[in-house]
Structure formats: structure tokens, C-alpha cells
Amino acid sequence: MQNIYDARQKVKIVFLLVSMLLVGIFLYISNQLVADLSVEERNKMEIWAEATREVASNDTDMDMGLILKIIQSNTSIPVIVADEQDSIRQILNLKIPEKSPDIYLRKKLEEFKSGSNKIEIYIDEHTRQYLYYDDSILLKRLSYFPYIQLAVMLLFILIAYLA
């Protein structure tokens, strides 16, 4: 016959193992959500870049209403479009300070260029522009969520274990 202490130890071990399994599952799901949202943002920016190319090509046979709607649909992803000489052609969803806006935009352009979110826009065979973008606020917040979730779950497990 087992004593009560051994039975309680086994229950604690099972509780910890199940808790760690749940933490792992939740972290995996959260990371997958972040990755999926990142892919969706990339797809949205590629469509946006194509619409920008169409507007710049001056083709009169296209539906400009649809293209302008695509361009105006981005309300959350910060974007800078620059030419080959790094002249900024367009900005979107950036809060530009009133003091030294040019310096701010230069720093943002360099920051965006150092990231991996870049799309080349071929205007014609001699002209290219570059669309640089950053993750949306939603994606940034969601990327922190797994770590906050981990901390809360570990705290819960610790309290439950000690109780």
C-alpha cells in the first residue's frame, strides 16, 4: 500500500507535465498566429506594390477606382516607397513629428531598409522603386503575446503547485 506522500508526489508530477504540455501547445499556436499574420501582411503589401506600379505606369485602360481602393485600403502597415536614389516618394501610416520631419523620415527609411520587408516595384525597364514596410501594431502586439502568456501560465502553475 502506498503512503499518501508518494501519491501526492505523483499527482504533482502529472500536474506539472500536463501544465507544461499545455504551455507548449499555447505557445505553438500563438507563434503560428503571428507567422500567419506576417504572411498575410506580406501578401497585402505585394498587392499594394502592384497597385502602385499600375498607377505609375499611366495605363489608361485599367480600372483606376479599384487600384486607388487597394492603395487606400492599407490603414495599419507603415510604408515608405523610395526610388533608386533613396528619395522618398510616398509614406503611409507613419506618425511624423512636427520637429525635424526630414531627419525622422531618413532614420525610418534606414530602419526599414535594414529589415527584411522590402518589395521591388518595376515601373518600367529603366525605373524601379522600393516599397519598405514595417510590421503593423497588431502584429507587434501579437508577437509579444506568447511571452506574456508564458509568464502568466508559469505563475499560475507555480501557485497551483504550491497550493
Side-chain angles (χ1 to χ4, degrees):
M1 183 168 176
Q2 286 185 332
N3 68 27
I4 294 174
Y5 179 74
D6 288 340
R8 288 181 71 194
Q9 281 298 101
K10 288 181 182 177
V11 168
K12 283 182 180 181
I13 290 171
V14 168
F15 173 75
L16 284 175
L17 290 175
V18 169
S19 299
M20 295 306 273
L21 178 66
L22 288 174
V23 166
I25 290 170
F26 288 137
L27 286 175
Y28 176 77
I29 290 170
S30 296
N31 283 331
Q32 284 302 116
L33 287 172
V34 169
D36 291 346
L37 184 59
S38 180
V39 168
E40 285 301 315
E41 283 190 359
R42 175 75 182 188
N43 291 340
K44 186 177 182 179
M45 286 296 93
E46 286 175 354
I47 292 169
W48 199 87
E50 183 61 25
T52 301
R53 188 190 68 72
E54 289 294 328
V55 166
S57 72
N58 295 323
D59 186 3
T60 57
D61 294 337
M62 69 183 112
D63 182 7
M64 289 301 284
L66 176 62
I67 291 174
L68 291 175
K69 187 169 183 147
I70 290 170
I71 290 173
Q72 294 169 350
S73 70
N74 177 19
T75 59
S76 61
I77 303 171
V79 175
I80 296 177
V81 177
D83 62 16
E84 295 170 304
Q85 291 78 31
D86 282 345
S87 295
I88 296 174
R89 297 291 181 198
Q90 188 174 10
I91 56 169
L92 192 62
N93 301 324
L94 286 173
K95 293 180 182 174
I96 302 170
E98 291 180 21
K99 183 180 177 187
S100 305
D102 292 335
I103 294 171
Y104 172 81
L105 287 173
R106 282 281 137 214
K107 287 181 182 177
K108 275 296 181 187
L109 178 61
E110 291 306 316
E111 178 185 322
F112 284 14
K113 284 176 69 174
S114 67
S116 62
N117 297 330
K118 172 185 170 182
I119 299 173
E120 281 190 64
I121 305 171
Y122 295 96
I123 305 300
D124 57 36
E125 53 276 340
H126 304 294
T127 310
R128 282 188 290 193
Q129 291 182 348
Y130 300 94
L131 184 147
Y132 302 101
Y133 67 98
D134 195 14
D135 296 332
S136 67
I137 299 281
L138 177 63
L139 183 58
K140 287 180 181 179
R141 287 179 184 164
L142 192 57
S143 68
Y144 296 133
F145 182 70
Y147 302 108
I148 295 168
Q149 186 179 24
L150 176 65
V152 170
M153 291 183 82
L154 289 176
L155 182 63
F156 170 73
I157 292 169
L158 178 66
I159 290 170
Y161 179 77
L162 294 175

